[in-house]
Amino acid sequence: MKQLLKKEPVTIISLILAIISAFFVLPDREYINYIDTRTLSILLCLMLVMAGLRKEGVFKSIGQNLLDKTTTKRGLVIVLTLLCFFFSMLITNDVALISFVPFSIELINMMDDEDKTKRQSAASSKSATKKEDKKTSFAIKLIVLETIAANLGSMLTPIGNPQNLYLYSLTGMSIGAFIKLMLPYSLTSLIGLLIFAFILFPVKTTNTDETIARAGNEDENKVSRSFSGKKITVYLVLFVLSLLVVVHVLPYQAVLVATIIAVMLIDSKTLWDADYFLLLTFIFLFIFVGNIKRISPVRDAIYSILNGREVITSVVASQFISNVPAAILLSGMTDKLSSLIIGTNLGGLGTLIASMASLISFKFYSQIEGSDKGKYLVVFTVLNLIFLIILLGMYFIMM
């Protein structure tokens, strides 16, 4: 239980909240109506499709093709950051980070291997230590920037992250209206990411360290491009079908069954790669929120806090319980869902738990030899707060 709590804290906490709420509202037939099966079905379909495409190495291959054209470390940073930003719009922020952060770490290690030949001729250990510090600093800044990029890029589309899909299904708005709502924030984020890439990774033309070192046999360093055309075609068709469900063209039940059967036939192991803990988190939170709405004093208290302050309340709530639970909790207390969409997306910035996707990057970074977790958290928090302040300021100007 302790290990499970450490690995899936949000799921366990949401389970505890659901159980506590059940003491105040005893289980009855209404519990079934709490569950948004459509949102859960679409999430599962998208997770299975993205897991399949990732296993085929599609995303990494695209990244490698782009990186082959870069010659400087700043160029590498910009390409990786943009990959996370734009891919997260379609494959979700979680999948973008799972795909590109480990890839980034591999590239950093490749550069470090080449640098070791330089360190062997260093006059003292002090020089070697300086090199290690530079590697650590580079890794931290790159991974933090990638994380911010994934969280901000994902806010543009309904399928970019789980809370968007959930809130979008409640609003009934068109995809065009959703994109129009979030486009100003996405464009500002893109400009901000490019500016910080230039600030944090200055190019010194006289320094040979600024050139990307590609150690060893280049063929070994490249991501395998031996795809299964049949599998990729099936996954892409399933992705299109899932999108048609999102825009209310196809029934979710039929696409869910088709997706599960197709995945079982082409690669049954992929069925285990979906994030079922996320689905359980949604179910537990649906129960908790459904019960809270039936407890009048609690419901009225939350409504009084939320009314007219949807964006700020959802941003603040996200810092403590993450933006997905915040979206589910607050959606039951207001009809201003557009404000919640803005608030929970911006709320993904800030603390490490504001967006659960951020924990994915932190976990990958922590596995690097010689990682400095304290420094990572400082850099992560500072940059996140800067972006949050800028985007919140933009919201108040546009009000």
Side-chain angles (χ1 to χ4, degrees):
M1 188 67 180
K2 184 178 179 181
Q3 289 298 320
L4 186 59
L5 178 60
K6 184 178 180 180
K7 186 178 180 181
E8 302 291 343
V10 175
T11 302
I12 298 302
I13 292 172
S14 62
L15 170 61
I16 293 171
L17 291 174
I19 292 173
I20 292 174
S21 68
F23 284 101
F24 294 90
V25 180
L26 298 179
D28 56 21
R29 292 182 179 179
E30 285 297 312
Y31 272 49
I32 300 297
N33 297 327
Y34 295 162
I35 312 299
D36 186 343
T37 52
R38 182 176 183 276
T39 296
L40 294 177
S41 298
I42 297 173
L43 268 177
L44 179 56
C45 290
L46 289 172
M47 286 191 289
L48 291 174
V49 169
M50 293 310 155
L53 290 173
R54 182 164 54 84
K55 284 178 70 174
E56 290 302 306
V58 173
F59 310 131
K60 284 189 177 182
S61 180
I62 294 173
Q64 180 69 69
N65 282 325
L66 292 171
L67 287 169
D68 285 345
K69 299 176 176 60
T70 63
T71 57
T72 66
K73 291 182 179 180
R74 176 193 278 176
L76 179 145
V77 168
I78 291 175
V79 170
L80 287 170
T81 301
L82 293 182
L83 282 171
C84 288
F85 184 80
F86 287 109
F87 266 83
S88 66
M89 298 176 185
L90 295 176
I91 68 175
T92 75
N93 51 355
D94 300 65
V95 177
L97 293 173
I98 290 172
S99 298
F100 295 117
V101 171
F103 184 37
S104 303
I105 293 172
E106 289 176 14
L107 291 172
I108 292 170
N109 289 331
M110 284 163 54
M111 291 186 291
D112 184 56
D113 288 340
E114 181 72 11
D115 288 340
K116 284 179 181 178
T117 60
K118 301 175 185 178
R119 287 203 292 269
Q120 287 173 356
S121 61
S124 67
S125 59
K126 185 175 182 180
S127 175
T129 301
K130 187 176 180 181
K131 286 284 186 181
E132 289 296 333
D133 290 342
K134 286 178 65 176
K135 176 194 171 185
T136 299
S137 178
F138 183 87
I140 289 174
K141 290 186 292 185
L142 172 57
I143 294 172
V144 168
L145 211 58
E146 285 179 302
T147 304
I148 294 174
N151 284 330
L152 292 178
S154 65
M155 68 182 174
L156 183 63
T157 65
I159 61 173
N161 50 55
Q163 85 271 2
N164 274 3
L165 183 59
Y166 169 66
L167 293 173
Y168 171 77
S169 67
L170 293 181
T171 62
M173 65 170 63
S174 66
I175 284 186
F178 187 100
I179 292 175
K180 183 179 179 181
L181 175 68
M182 298 308 301
L183 186 59
Y185 303 99
S186 293
L187 290 176
T188 302
S189 300
L190 178 59
I191 294 171
L193 288 166
L194 291 174
I195 290 174
F196 272 96
F198 275 80
I199 293 174
L200 295 174
F201 301 91
V203 173
K204 300 175 183 178
T205 56
T206 58
N207 190 343
T208 57
D209 287 345
E210 297 304 324
T211 302
I212 295 177
R214 303 183 187 280
N217 188 331
E218 288 189 9
D219 292 335
E220 293 177 357
N221 292 330
K222 291 185 178 181
V223 176
S224 173
R225 293 171 172 78
S226 57
F227 298 136
S228 167
K230 178 182 176 182
K231 288 183 180 180
I232 292 176
T233 300
V234 171
Y235 286 131
L236 290 177
V237 169
L238 293 174
F239 179 62
V240 172
L241 293 178
S242 297
L243 291 182
L244 292 175
V245 175
V246 172
V247 297
H248 301 277
V249 173
L250 294 177
Y252 73 85
Q253 300 95 331
V255 174
L256 175 63
V257 172
T259 300
I260 293 175
I261 292 175
V263 173
M264 285 180 63
L265 292 175
I266 62 175
D267 188 0
S268 59
K269 292 182 180 179
T270 301
L271 289 172
W272 299 103
D273 292 333
D275 187 354
Y276 293 105
F277 281 103
L278 176 62
L279 298 179
L280 285 174
T281 300
F282 265 83
I283 292 172
F284 297 147
L285 287 171
F286 283 143
I287 294 172
F288 172 68
V289 173
N291 286 338
I292 288 296
K293 289 169 66 177
R294 294 170 66 181
I295 305 174
S296 298
V298 178
R299 181 193 64 217
D300 294 342
I302 295 176
Y303 178 79
S304 64
I305 295 172
L306 183 62
N307 189 30
R309 295 179 286 270
E310 287 80 7
V311 171
I312 291 298
T313 303
S314 53
V315 168
V316 173
S318 297
Q319 305 310 303
F320 300 98
I321 63 174
S322 184
N323 52 3
V324 172
I328 297 174
L329 173 62
L330 300 178
S331 64
M333 309 297 170
T334 180
D335 57 356
K336 296 180 180 178
L337 298 178
S338 294
S339 296
L340 282 190
I341 291 172
I342 296 172
T344 52
N345 275 297
L346 301 191
L349 297 164
T351 64
L352 190 64
I353 65 169
S355 169
M356 296 309 293
S358 299
L359 291 173
I360 294 173
S361 297
F362 182 67
K363 179 181 178 181
F364 283 132
Y365 171 75
S366 300
Q367 294 171 353
I368 298 177
E369 184 180 353
S371 61
D372 187 338
K373 300 180 184 65
K375 185 175 181 180
Y376 181 96
L377 290 174
V378 170
V379 174
F380 176 90
T381 304
V382 170
L383 288 181
N384 268 265
L385 288 177
I386 291 173
F387 274 92
L388 179 57
I389 290 170
I390 291 171
L391 294 177
L392 269 180
M394 183 177 176
Y395 163 74
F396 285 114
I397 292 172
M398 294 173 60
M399 282 182 63

